[in-house]
């Protein structure tokens, strides 16, 4: 028997990394929000690697924080190691990565959710959507509870018809042997949504006391760590190291000898796996010329002996997994605590979504995270906060917030999904962003904090601090521009740095533009104001050194913005646009882009098609104007 169990503005299904961000955002914006999860003990669980961040992914975490989300704050409270990657390269690819205490991460996130006003956390397995006249009005759980909502956000991760595969063994399951969601997949299809089958995997976990660390190389955290959240001021003491080892010839031989038992090659796995995170058996076959592959041993927390074997994702049978492990230097006597596995699951074809992450087929229904075909906690959380924001705004009768490709990696991620789709689990890479010099780790607050404040996720107090920071950076840039130094004051320093000495007075800004001159050198000649913090100094230095490149990218962005501002009406019939190629008509009809900019990024739509479409829109708008008059 069904019964009315409650009424909300926003209902979020699934409490993984997408779900918690969606629910927190909606609740903090004042919407009465329900967060439903199959198991309350699995809130913000990390079923795969116990880490947050890395190239592009770390940028997304900073962006989530700049918008007012939770992932950055939570990992800053619960990390066991922090490292800034790619420091030998330019600032566009600097990326922060944290090893998490995965159990503490869960605990702290659940505590945050439970203390948030307007947010109700409840255990329940959703099996049906309530859809009336093409509008989603709520959900029904396995127990018959009906929850009515103005909007619904699906963040089901890898639970939809989840199937675990381990050698010859296969069984229905969510990650980590949790209950899967089977009936909801059928219900989504019933409402017209197209689903695909994807696969991901995880490596075995091993016991710390059975590892011979003397045969591995230590990988410590940074002595002076930087943080994900702009609000974090205190570091967590006593970082834990990770350890590096490699596969051996014996490892490769064991895998090759057992390929007939590998589901990847026997045809047992039907789902498409992630190209950028292949299983160890896939790596051995695809890169047969490589004698060894890196393996990182990563602690899963401070109060556990479990170690995550990064780089050894596998769906081999359990007995083969143990052989593989014991063929790796340092793991000769290792004890396996959990077996690695592959998991297949259903995902929504993301081209069925609007840039707001609302589905085109069912109004009021939003999706975010791995259900949209992505991989990774960070990609999920980035979609989650945007889906939560837009679900809340729709419930409040407001327009959606859409980040464009020049504003955020989150904008790149969502635009890629809804415009191009994906035929494999999508991973965000720095190379996917055409404006990556603008989308840096250091300037996420400059790009997104004003947006977070406008929508109500950034407090007035935090926004005032942000404005004060920007004012101080601008003041320092002006000081550098107007302060001149004489040859006698700087030539000795310039000589020591193999930098050309000066004959006349020169301003400090010009000196800082030189590649060999760092801000610290300027500071030694003309000390900066005492209130200038390290991150402000970093901002000044980057803006000065890369000003030419930044200006070029900003000019490109302006051209792009003009394309994005040319909106395409919802009711346009592409079959009636004469001169456009058949493939372009089919793609445009399927994607239904909201602007000329988005249309130009659809695979199969040529510049010639765009030119014809622009002419058609001009005629279309004139006809509308005549009718209106």
């Amino acid at each position: 028997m069904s019964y009315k169990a409650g009424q909300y503005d926003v209902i979020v299904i699934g409490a993984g990394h997408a779900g918690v961000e969606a629910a927190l955002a909606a609740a903090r914006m004042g919407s009465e929000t329900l967060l439903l999860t199959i198991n309350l003990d699995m809130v913000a669980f990390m079923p795969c690697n116990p880490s947050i961040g890395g190239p592009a992914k770390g940028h997304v975490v900073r962006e989530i924080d700049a918008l007012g989300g939770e992932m950055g704050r939570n990992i800053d409270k619960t990390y066991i190691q922090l490292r800034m990657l790619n420091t030998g390269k330019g600032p566009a690819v600097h990326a922060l990565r944290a090893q998490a205490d995965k159990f503490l991460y869960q605990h702290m996130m659940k505590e945050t959710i439970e203390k948030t006003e307007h947010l109700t956390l409840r255990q329940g397995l959703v099996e049906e959507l309530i859809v009336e006249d093409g509008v989603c009005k709520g959900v029904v759980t396995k127990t018959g509870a009906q929850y009515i909502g103005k909007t619904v956000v699906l963040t089901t991760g890898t639970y939809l018809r989840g199937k675990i595969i381990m050698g010859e063994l296969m069984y229905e399951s969510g990650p980590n042997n949790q209950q899967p969601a089977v009936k909801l997949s059928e219900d989504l299809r019933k409402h017209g949504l197209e689903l695909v089958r994807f696969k991901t995997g995880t490596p075995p976990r091993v016991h710390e006391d059975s590892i011979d660390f003397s045969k591995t190389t230590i990988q410590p955290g940074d002595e002076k760590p930087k943080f994900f959240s702009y609000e974090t001021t205190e570091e967590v003491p006593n970082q834990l190291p990770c350890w590096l080892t490699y596969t051996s010839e014996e490892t490769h031989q064991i895998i090759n000898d057992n390929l007939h038992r590998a589901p990847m090659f026997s045809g047992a796995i039907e789902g498409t796996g992630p190209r950028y995170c292949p299983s160890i058996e896939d790596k051995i076959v695809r890169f047969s010329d490589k004698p060894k592959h890196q393996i990182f041993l990563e602690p899963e927390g401070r109060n556990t002996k479990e170690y995550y074997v990064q780089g050894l994702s596998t769906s081999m049978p359990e007995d083969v997994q143990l052989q593989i492990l014991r063929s790796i230097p340092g793991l000769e006597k290792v004890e396996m605590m959990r077996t690695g596995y592959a998991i297949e699951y259903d995902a929504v074809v993301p081209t069925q979504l609007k840039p707001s992450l609302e589905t085109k087929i069912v109004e009021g229904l939003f999706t975010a995270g791995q259900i949209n075909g992505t991989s990774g906690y960070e990609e999920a959380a980035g979609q989650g906060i945007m889906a939560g924001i837009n679900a809340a705004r729709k419930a409040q009768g407001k327009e959606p917030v859409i980040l464009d490709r020049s504003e955020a990696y989150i904008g790149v991620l969502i635009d890629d999904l809804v415009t191009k789709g994906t035929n494999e689990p999508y991973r965000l890479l720095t190379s996917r962003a055409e404006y990556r010099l603008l989308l840096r780790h250091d300037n996420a607050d400059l790009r997104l904090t004003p947006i977070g404040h406008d929508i109500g996720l950034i407090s007035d107090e935090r926004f005032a601090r942000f404005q004060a920071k920007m004012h101080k950076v601008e003041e320092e840039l002006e000081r550098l521009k107007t302060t001149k130094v004489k040859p006698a004051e700087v030539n000795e320093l310039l000589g020591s740095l193999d930098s050309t000495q000066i004959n006349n007075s020169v301003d400090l800004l010009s000196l800082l533009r030189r590649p060999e001159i760092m801000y610290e050198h300027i500071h030694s000649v003309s000390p900066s104001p005492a209130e200038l913090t390290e991150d402000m100094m970093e901002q000044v230095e980057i803006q000065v050194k890369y000003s030419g490149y930044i200006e070029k990218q900003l000019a490109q962005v302006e051209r792009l913005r003009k394309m994005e501002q040319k909106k395409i009406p919802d009711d346009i019939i592409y079959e009636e646009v004469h001169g456009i190629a058949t493939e372009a008509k089919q793609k445009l009809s399927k994607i239904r882009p909201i602007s000329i900019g988005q249309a130009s990024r659809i695979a199969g739509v040529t510049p010639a098609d765009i030119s014809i479409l622009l002419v058609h829109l001009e005629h279309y708008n004139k006809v509308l104007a005549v009718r209106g008059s």
Side-chain angles (χ1 to χ4, degrees), residues 470-484 507-509 540 543-544:
M470 293 314 304
H471 182 64
K472 287 171 185 172
V473 169
E474 286 163 11
E475 279 187 337
E476 179 61 1
L477 286 167
E478 186 61 28
R479 185 185 78 86
L480 295 177
K481 193 186 297 181
T482 56
T483 303
K484 293 195 172 185
D507 63 83
L508 295 174
L509 198 73
V540 168
Q543 287 193 27
V544 171

Side-chain angles (χ1 to χ4, degrees), residues 7-37:
Q7 192 157 341
Y8 299 86
D9 296 317
V10 179
I11 298 171
V12 180
I13 302 169
H17 303 283
V20 296
E21 293 293 347
L24 285 167
R28 287 166 175 169
M29 291 168 67
S31 292
E32 291 302 324
T33 304
L34 172 65
L35 178 56
L36 281 167
T37 178

Side-chain angles (χ1 to χ4, degrees), residues 290-305:
K290 285 197 170 186
K292 60 182 182 179
H293 295 276
Q294 286 185 329
I295 301 292
F296 290 95
L297 305 174
E298 303 174 346
E300 296 221 317
R302 292 186 188 277
N303 299 307
T304 178
K305 292 286 187 178

Side-chain angles (χ1 to χ4, degrees), residues 450-487:
I451 296 172
H453 181 252
D454 285 346
I455 59 181
L457 289 179
I458 295 291
S459 67
D460 290 343
E461 182 186 2
R462 178 172 170 181
F463 190 60
R465 289 198 302 271
F466 162 74
Q467 288 179 309
K469 170 187 171 179
M470 293 314 304
H471 182 64
K472 287 171 185 172
V473 169
E474 286 163 11
E475 279 187 337
E476 179 61 1
L477 286 167
E478 186 61 28
R479 185 185 78 86
L480 295 177
K481 193 186 297 181
T482 56
T483 303
K484 293 195 172 185
V485 287
K486 297 174 182 176

Side-chain angles (χ1 to χ4, degrees), residues 50 115 137 190 204 207 236 249 395 442:
K115 289 180 177 178
K137 298 292 183 71
K190 184 182 81 176
H207 199 292
V236 176
E249 284 185 27
D442 63 88

Side-chain angles (χ1 to χ4, degrees), residues 227-238:
F227 304 113
F228 282 105
S229 175
Y230 288 92
E231 294 189 294
T232 303
T233 56
E234 293 183 15
E235 62 183 84
V236 176
N238 305 319

Side-chain angles (χ1 to χ4, degrees), residues 388-399:
I389 288 168
N390 289 328
R393 286 179 71 86
K394 188 173 182 74
Q396 294 164 3
K398 297 176 181 176
E399 288 296 307

